[in-house]
């Protein structure tokens, strides 16, 4: 600041560096110099600058702290949907998506200094606040929302197969990922551009990582190599043979839509249920196989007693009819249970995987002795079962499988198979069992078995294992185990073995509880009634009338049956049995709509009757028949019986379990099963599908009247029940038809065991259940996949397994609007030469021979090409995988 | 004695070409980087933002350089000016990349963009002015310093008045003419029209009138007329100097006046950009 | 602010003697020695007596062997008389580091910034509490008279036989002192010696009073200075030592024009150009018989040719340039003798060395290699070829006239401003002010010729007339870079320099103290000081004005050499 002093002469330098310039003005009159000073132009500029700056900055700061802050700061309008959501909240609108939204300027500053994230949640987290439901929350931010490990695996796989290459982040500066490999939402979704699409992703952007350059779909997108699923279909179904042979021959139309129906949203095709698709042709196969044999649990082998005695072995008492040459199988289940017994395990480990007693060479002493030991362990098994029933099974399974078995699982497996059954069997086959065992294992504390009716038998039991092993030996519980007192009172055991006469083949076993404890509340029957009410509908009503007409109510003391029928508990324990909902409803639906099933049923049931009649006769005619001979009719008889129930009622009113029992069974039993009443004995068992279950009960109705039991009989049950066969000395399970829960349970159990196919404990049962034409012929249609080392049976044939988004999407709906596309074969062309059978044989799901030509890209490209329909990557490919589809 | 920097093959056109090339190439490179980042789903806005901020700071630093004239390390003002021009022009492109060639539709960002454009465009005008105006001034007879103009005009006015007073004993032609025409011309500043578009119209007009006047002047007054016309020209030149030099200085009011608000606001903008950046923890 | 500042005594002619320590008996002893013994004290004015000169304008130097007395290229302002011992004059020019020409007075950039920081907000404020920085040379030795640089080993620096020895009673350095030319050679003390240094104001007085001394000086000049000068001349560098000496004997020493040309320059410059040219003393006229080769020893001469009624300036010749060579060569080549084609006129004060034609043809011509010969041109072909030549990168005639008429050709660091580029932003002035304690040292205003303006900034002239008549020697050549600088401390504000500067580039300013209060003498009159551009000599960056110009408009140009000017004016 240097204003010149008034009147002071100054030098002639111009001083533009000073704030003040003086101008020498010569006054006009008396040329006297007058010097005025004024701000220099620069100084004026400085003042102006200061004013402008302070105004603008000041205004800005004021607005920052004003209520208009958000409006002032917002860098642009939001996309419509976000705008609508946020419209409501005023002040903290920004804070919904920005951690900094409700913070002060100072905090922003410190945030910027600290390199960010010091304030509030990071934006991606805030996004997930709302979008967590629609995204796979665990991997919401990683690439494709897939576990990076898995993704890497898939990538490696695809790269191996040369399907595509993935650029490493090294050569291109890829999207910004953090050490966890996460991307921020804002990487792709850029807000504040108003109506512009938030999710638009250009092909170029896809191809940052997917580095092989695909310029347009029609030009250089790779040709489709596989049918949509690059695995074999889960149901072993050969479209070629069906379409061109079977359907053609039977003069039926091979209509895709019969099996491939729209899902509720019309965007994917799903498989129609069994009853609607396969049943009409394939049901009887299943029936046949189940009629032919059972899933044996206990089977006493034929033993060559002479050879044994020669070898110096001793097997104690053995049924007459099971003596002769060494023979008889070692059923999978029994083998499994035996291996829980160390002694047996030791032997079985040495024996061949599919050892049968037939293999025993009578002249090989040690083989014979081994057999004896095996027999003893079988006896121990029998005894254990007869003492504890399912508990024993559970325990032994747990030992072998080395895992705990839940009650539900046990119930599903044993399906009501309880001690009494085995006690009965023991009484009939090995009456001496307990005493033998007592003798064989002396010097033990005793406990009373009340079940052997009159007179208690003192009985000593000692586990074969030594004291120290006693601890972990599950059998030891046996000592303390007090078997429930309310066992049905059996008739007195026969003193002499010879009373078991070979010629007396068939007998009816009464498993009816002894009359004193008829303690069942009517509630039990109520349960059923409720059931009916539950899913009956008016059909139920109709059937009910029939019930009233045809059934003498008195004859069915339902509560008696229900007494030991675990159904009661089941109804409470396992509500909504897992399998049921999948299968039944469609049938229920269809039953009402199309009459095809009904028609089938009628014819079926018709034929059944004949079968029954025929089958009944021979058994009636020649009571005395060679065992071998007599097995057949037994089979017949047994086969006949279920058919009646099955086709008599269920298809008509599948949803109505309670009612159908009188409808068919009572009269049927009255007329046709009459003659074989004395042949059939029921081991009543509850069933998942009560509709199937109860007929069995019904069957037993007439025979359930306590009768004096002639010795030596075969206990037989209806479909889906356990059978004791005195002819072959076997206790086994007979499936009730398709989707038998017990059978599938055993299958699931055995396949879930690691390396079940090779382990000596399990291999037998595995083989038994998963071979072609096994009992129930499950494997004929349901493929078995090996994953890692365990297996899984594809009960569900659906290929669209998940409701979640996948990498590739195809929606049938809009395409099928196009007239020329409505014929499926436009895209799915059947290859007449193809034979897909081979692909279903092994356990390898990736071996896939399709009946269809691969879908041709040009089919798609004819519409999806530049200038016509959108043909960008995102048209068919999803980025966000594993998330629920929008609207789910 | 160090000689002025004149390398033998130095020409201004060559330098212009060189710098323009560098500028264009670097803009192209930046554009490429931006494209690459966008294509790779990265936010190029941070890149361009920092680039802009850096450029603006650098451009502002020119002022600092002027405050420290002595240091050789700082390079000559000429060099700075050249960089200032070409970096400044380049920022247009960078700015375009930064706003993705959209018109910013937020209030705050709008303000920022306005400030930038105000500064940048005024700069462009300044470039034009500093290249065109000097020649016009150089064409004039006299060179004057802006600050001295008022004083000179004052002197001119007084001397003209004195001249007329002395001359007007015999006849009042000159006096009347002076009072009617010249007085305002010498005493008053020029019209706004002249300020906007300085033209020699009035000058010519007056000179013609003076020559016409000669007919009515006596022998001894003729030279006075000549002197007057001389003065008129001087006055007109001074006015012209005032307008043109004024233009050379006034554009800086916008260019510098806005600069500091631009700086501050853009720093705030940068801080916000970081605080509000959508990202990961 | 009140007008009464701090008071100081008004400085006088001999307020600051050359050497405080010189005592009256020193003066008495000196008067016993040659050449003062022969001098008649009465010949001196009462104002400036011989004793006064000896006491105030002289100083005694006690030197050790190897001390450097004067350096080649220095603009020394004093002559030396050897009283005892002998001095060695090097005939080879010595490397700069030996001469200690380090930029020791240059500020480091931190200092520069610090200086900017300390800039006073007040006009022309001085701080006499702060002593000026002392010169400090590396490897220097201090004595009571200040710092001395000495050579450790003379033969190593000055090769045997390439030196001349001076003995007691001999004077050296007087030519530079008188002709204001740089020292022609470096002089070193050859032994322990006693030396009398006479500053040139004093020496000038002695000469004016003593014709004998003047003659003595002229002989001296012929003997040493002339030879070394002849050696410096491009054309003669092919001659052997003997030739040079012979040449020196034959060479005629002439001087034209007024030694104090600047006095009447302003009045002349008001005259019309044609008559101004005629008023200039003619050295050789167009059409005269070619009687020798003329070497410009000092000052400037105008080359002109008759053009219509007037004389057109073709070029100006500066120090070391030759006149008449072409004619001589042509004449020696052919029988047909041609006269001088152009006339040579003295601009102000010119020293001429004339090598007579026969001497030239005998000694010089044979030695000059053919390629150095100027092309022989006949008078007829001449004009055409000259026009052809002038079409090249030669200076526009108008501009040349402009530079010559205004004597800008005198300037080595003239401030040229290209008005076509200058935006009148005044950055140059502000930069200048910033480097000079917030005081500008030039005015961005001056004479202009079309788009070129020579601003009012000191040009650091070849012939710095401003230094003439400075009573205290405050204005002097910087002994490092030869810039004309004013020692603000010793300036008495007499205004002589300001008055004698023909370009009005020296401004007298009223100084004030740090508080901004003006310094005044006892009578309340303000103290004034002479100020001018010092080319920012103490700042490493060189002239701030040039560096501060953003538009390449302002340049500091050596106007004395036409080629430099052309290189600037022909920038495109």
């Amino acid at each position: 600041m240097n204003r010149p002093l008034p009147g002071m002469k100054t030098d002639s330098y111009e001083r533009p560096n000073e704030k003040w310039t003086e101008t020498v003005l010569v006054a006009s009159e008396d040329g006297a110099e007058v010097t005025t000073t004024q701000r220099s132009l620069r100084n004026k500029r400085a003042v102006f600058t200061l004013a402008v700056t302070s105004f603008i900055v000041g205004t800005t700061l004021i607005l920052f702290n004003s209520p208009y802050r958000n409006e002032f700061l917002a860098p642009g309008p939001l996309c419509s949907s976000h705008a609508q959501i946020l419209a409501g909240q005023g002040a903290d609108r920004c804070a919904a998506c920005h951690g900094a939204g409700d913070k002060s300027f100072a905090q922003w500053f410190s945030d910027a200094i600290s390199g960010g994230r010091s304030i509030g949640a990071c934006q991606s987290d805030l996004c997930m606040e709302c979008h967590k439901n629609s995204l796979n929350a665990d991997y919401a931010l990683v690439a494709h929302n897939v576990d990076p490990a898995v993704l890497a695996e898939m990538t490696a796989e695809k790269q191996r197969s040369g399907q595509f290459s993935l650029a490493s982040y090294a050569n291109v500066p890829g999207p910004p990922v953090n050490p966890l490999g996460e991307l921020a939402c804002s990487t792709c979704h850029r807000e504040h551009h108003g109506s512009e699409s938030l999710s638009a992703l250009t092909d170029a952007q896809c191809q940052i990582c997917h580095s092989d350059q695909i310029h347009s779909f029609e030009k250089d997108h790779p040709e489709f190599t596989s049918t949509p699923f690059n695995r074999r279909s889960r149901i072993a179904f050969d479209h070629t043979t069906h379409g061109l042979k079977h359907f053609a021959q039977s003069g039926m139309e091979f209509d895709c839509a019969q099996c491939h129906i729209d899902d509720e949203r019309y965007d994917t095709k799903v498989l129609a249920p069994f009853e609607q698709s396969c049943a009409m042709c394939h049901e009887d196969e299943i029936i046949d196989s189940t009629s032919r044999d059972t899933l044996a649990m206990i089977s006493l082998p034929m033993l060559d007693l002479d050879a044994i005695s020669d070898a110096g072995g001793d097997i104690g008492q053995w049924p007459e009819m099971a003596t002769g040459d060494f023979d008889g199988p070692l059923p999978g289940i029994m083998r499994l249970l035996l291996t829980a017994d160390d002694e047996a395990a030791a032997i079985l480990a040495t024996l061949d995987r599919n050892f049968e007693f037939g293999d025993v060479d009578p002249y090989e002493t040690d083989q014979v002795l081994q057999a004896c030991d095996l027999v003893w362990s079988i006896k121990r098994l029998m005894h254990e079962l007869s003492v504890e029933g399912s508990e024993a099974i559970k325990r032994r399974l747990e030992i072998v499988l080395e895992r705990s078995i839940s009650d539900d699982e046990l119930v599903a497996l044993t399906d009501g198979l309880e001690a009494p059954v085995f006690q009965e069997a023991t009484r009939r086959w090995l009456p001496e069992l307990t005493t033998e065992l007592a003798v064989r294992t002396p010097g033990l504390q005793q406990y009373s078995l009340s079940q052997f009716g009159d007179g208690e038998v003192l009985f000593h039991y000692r586990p074969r294992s030594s004291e120290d092993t006693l601890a972990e030996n599950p059998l030891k519980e046996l000592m303390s185990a007090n078997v429930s007192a309310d066992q049905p009172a059996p008739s007195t055991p026969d003193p002499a073995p010879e009373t078991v006469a070979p010629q007396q083949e068939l007998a009816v076993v009464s498993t009816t509880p002894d009359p004193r404890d008829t303690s069942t509340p009517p509630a039990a029957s109520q349960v059923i009634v409720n059931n009916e009410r539950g899913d009956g509908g008016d059909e139920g009503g109709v059937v009910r009338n029939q019930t009233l007409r045809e059934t003498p109510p008195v004859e069915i003391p339902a509560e008696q049956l229900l007494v030991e029928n675990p159904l009661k508990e089941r109804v409470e324990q396992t509500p909504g049995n897992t399998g049921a909902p999948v299968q039944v409803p469609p049938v229920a639906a269809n039953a009402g709509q199309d009459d095809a099933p009904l028609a089938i049923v009628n014819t079926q049931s018709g034929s059944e009757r004949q079968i029954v009649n025929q089958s009944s006769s021979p058994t009636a005619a020649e009571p005395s028949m060679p065992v071998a001979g007599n097995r057949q009719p037994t089979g017949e008889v047994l086969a006949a019986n279920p058919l009646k129930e099955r086709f008599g009622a269920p298809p008509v009113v599948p949803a109505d379990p309670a009612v159908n029992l009188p409808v068919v069974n009572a009269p049927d039993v009255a007329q046709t099963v009459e003659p074989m009443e004395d042949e059939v004995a029921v081991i009543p068992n509850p069933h998942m599908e009560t509709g199937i279950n109860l007929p069995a009960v019904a069957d037993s109705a007439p025979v359930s009247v306590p009768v004096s039991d002639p010795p030596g009989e075969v206990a037989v049950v209806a479909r889906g029940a356990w059978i004791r066969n005195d002819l072959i000395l076997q206790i086994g399970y007979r499936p009730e038809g398709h989707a038998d829960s017990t059978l599938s349970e055993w299958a699931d159990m055995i396949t879930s065991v690691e390396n079940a196919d090779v382990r000596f404990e399990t291999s037998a049962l595995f083989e038994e259940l998963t071979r072609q034409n096994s009992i129930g012929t499950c494997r004929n249609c349901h493929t078995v996949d090996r994953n890692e080392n365990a297996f899984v049976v594809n009960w569900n044939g659906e290929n669209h397994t998940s409701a979640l988004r996948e990498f590739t999407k195809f929606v049938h709906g809009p395409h099928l609007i196009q007239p020329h596309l409505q014929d499926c074969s436009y895209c799915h062309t059947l290859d007449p030469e193809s034979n897909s059978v081979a692909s279903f044989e092994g356990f390898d799901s990736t071996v896939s021979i399709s009946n269809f030509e691969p879908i041709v890209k040009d089919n798609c490209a004819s519409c999806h090409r530049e200038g016509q329909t959108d043909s960008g990557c995102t048209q068919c490919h999803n980025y966000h995988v594993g998330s629920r589809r929008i609207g789910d | 004695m160090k000689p002025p920097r004149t390398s033998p093959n130095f020409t201004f056109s060559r330098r212009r070409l060189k710098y323009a090339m560098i500028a264009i190439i670097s803009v192209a490179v930046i554009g490429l980087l931006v494209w690459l980042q966008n294509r790779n789903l990265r936010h190029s806005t941070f890149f361009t933002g920092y680039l802009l901020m850096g450029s603006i700071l650098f451009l502002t630093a020119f002022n600092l350089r002027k405050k420290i004239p002595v240091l050789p390390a700082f390079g000559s003002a000429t060099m700075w000016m050249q960089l200032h021009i070409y970096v400044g022009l380049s920022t247009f492109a960078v700015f375009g990349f930064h706003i993705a060639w959209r018109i910013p539709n937020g209030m705050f960002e709008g303000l920022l963009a306005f400030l930038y454009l105000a500064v940048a465009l005024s700069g462009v005008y300044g470039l034009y002015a500093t290249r065109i105006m000097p020649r016009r001034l150089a064409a004039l007879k006299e060179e004057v310093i802006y600050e001295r103009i008022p004083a000179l005009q004052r002197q001119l006015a007084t001397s003209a008045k004195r001249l007329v007073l002395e001359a007007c004993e015999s006849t009042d032609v000159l006096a009347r003419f002076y009072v009617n025409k010249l007085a305002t011309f010498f005493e008053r500043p020029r019209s706004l029209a002249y300020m906007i578009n300085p033209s020699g119209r009035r000058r010519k007009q007056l000179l013609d009138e003076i020559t016409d006047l000669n007919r009515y002047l006596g022998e001894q007054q003729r030279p006075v007329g000549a002197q007057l016309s001389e003065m008129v020209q001087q006055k007109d030149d001074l006015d012209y100097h005032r307008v043109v030099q004024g233009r050379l200085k006034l554009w800086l009011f916008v260019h510098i006046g806005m600069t500091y608000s631009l700086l501050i606001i853009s720093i705030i903008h940068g801080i916000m950009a970081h605080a509000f950046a959508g990202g990961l923890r | 602010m009140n007008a009464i500042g701090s008071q100081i005594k008004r400085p006088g002619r001999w307020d600051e003697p050359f050497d405080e320590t010189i005592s009256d008996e020193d003066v008495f002893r000196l008067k016993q020695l040659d050449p003062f013994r022969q001098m008649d004290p009465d010949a001196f004015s009462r104002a400036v007596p011989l004793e006064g000169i000896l006491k105030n304008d002289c100083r005694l130097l006690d030197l050790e062997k190897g001390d450097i007395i004067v350096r080649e290229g220095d603009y020394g302002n004093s002559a030396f008389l050897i009283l005892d011992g002998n001095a060695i004059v090097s005939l080879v020019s010595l490397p700069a580091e030996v001469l200690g020409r380090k930029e020791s007075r240059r500020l480091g950039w931190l200092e520069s910034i610090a200086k900017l920081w300390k800039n006073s907000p007040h006009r022309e404020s001085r701080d006499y509490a702060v002593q000026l920085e002392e010169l400090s040379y590396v490897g220097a030795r201090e004595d009571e008279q200040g710092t001395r640089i000495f050579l450790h080993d003379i033969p190593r620096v000055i090769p045997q036989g390439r030196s001349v020895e001076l003995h007691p009673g001999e004077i050296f350095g007087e030519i530079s002192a008188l002709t204001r030319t740089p020292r022609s050679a470096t002089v070193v003390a050859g032994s322990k010696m006693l030396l009398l240094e006479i500053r040139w104001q004093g020496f000038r007085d002695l000469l004016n009073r003593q014709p004998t001394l003047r003659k003595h000086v002229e002989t001296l000049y012929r003997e040493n200075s002339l030879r070394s000068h002849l050696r410096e001349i491009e054309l003669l560098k092919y001659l052997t030592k003997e030739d040079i000496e012979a040449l020196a004997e034959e060479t005629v020493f002439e001087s034209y024009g007024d030694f104090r040309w600047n006095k009447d320059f302003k009045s002349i410059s008001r005259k019309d150009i044609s008559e101004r040219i005629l008023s200039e003393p003619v050295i050789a006229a167009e059409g005269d018989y070619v009687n020798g080769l003329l070497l410009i020893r000092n000052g400037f001469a105008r080359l002109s040719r008759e053009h219509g009624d007037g004389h057109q300036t073709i070029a100006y010749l500066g120090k070391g340039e030759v006149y008449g060579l072409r004619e001589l060569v042509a004449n020696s080549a052919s029988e047909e003798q041609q006269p001088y084609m152009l006339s040579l006129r003295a601009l102000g004060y010119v020293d001429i060395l004339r090598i007579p034609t026969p001497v030239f043809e005998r000694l010089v011509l044979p030695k000059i290699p053919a390629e150095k010969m100027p092309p022989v041109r006949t008078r007829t072909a001449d004009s055409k070829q000259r026009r052809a030549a002038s079409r090249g990168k030669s200076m526009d005639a108008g501009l040349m006239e402009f530079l010559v008429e205004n004597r800008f050709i005198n300037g080595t660091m003239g401030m040229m401003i290209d008005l076509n580029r200058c935006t009148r932003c005044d950055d140059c002035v502000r930069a200048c002010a910033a480097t000079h304690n917030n005081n500008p040292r030039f005015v961005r205003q001056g004479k202009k010729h079309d788009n070129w303006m020579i601003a009012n900034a000191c040009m650091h002239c070849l012939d710095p007339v401003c230094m003439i008549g400075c009573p205290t020697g405050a204005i002097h050549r910087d002994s490092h870079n030869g810039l004309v600088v004013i020692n603000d401390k010793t300036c008495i504000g007499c205004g002589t320099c300001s008055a004698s500067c023909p370009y009005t580039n020296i401004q007298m300013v009223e100084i004030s103290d740090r508080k901004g209060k003006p310094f005044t003498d006892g009578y309340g009159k303000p103290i004034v000081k002479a100020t001018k551009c010092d080319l920012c000599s103490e700042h490493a960056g060189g002239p701030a004005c040039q560096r501060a110009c953003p538009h390449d408009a302002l340049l500091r140009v050596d106007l004395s050499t036409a080629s430099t000017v052309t290189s600037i004016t022909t920038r495109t």
Side-chain angles (χ1 to χ4, degrees), chain B residues 45-61 87 91 94-95 98 108 112 116 259-274:
Chain B
T45 45
F46 280 99
F47 169 63
T48 49
Y50 272 107
L51 214 53
L52 267 180
M53 179 65 76
S55 314
I56 293 175
L57 285 173
F58 171 75
L59 295 170
T60 323
V87 171
T91 54
V94 181
F95 180 73
H98 189 61
F108 184 68
L112 190 52
Y116 168 78
T259 294
Y260 295 97
S261 3
L262 172 62
L263 259 183
I264 296 170
I265 296 292
S266 52
I267 287 171
I268 295 177
H269 169 74
I271 291 170
M272 280 179 58
H274 273 294

Side-chain angles (χ1 to χ4, degrees), chain B residues 5 12 70-71 77 140, chain C residues 424 435 445 448 547 552 572:
Chain B
R5 173 200 47 66
F12 290 119
V70 289
L71 298 187
L140 297 180
Chain C
R424 284 73 170 171
T435 37
Q445 182 70 310
K448 68 175 270 215
R547 293 169 39 74
D552 296 288
T572 47

Side-chain angles (χ1 to χ4, degrees), chain B residues 138-159:
Chain B
L140 297 180
K141 191 145 146 294
E142 281 300 317
E143 176 63 26
V144 293
I145 293 173
Y146 187 74
E147 286 73 14
R148 285 186 184 172
I149 291 174
L152 293 174
Q153 285 178 334
R154 199 82 199 77
Q155 286 169 359
L156 211 53
T158 30
S159 45

Side-chain angles (χ1 to χ4, degrees), chain C residues 305-312:
Chain C
R305 63 197 295 268
E306 288 172 15
H307 187 67
D309 288 351
H311 294 261
Q312 180 190 20

Side-chain angles (χ1 to χ4, degrees), chain A residues 34 68 94 179 273 320 373 393 462 658 747 791 803:
Chain A
V34 181
Y68 302 106
C94 302
E320 189 77 20
D373 297 347
I393 297 175
R462 183 172 60 80
F791 299 80

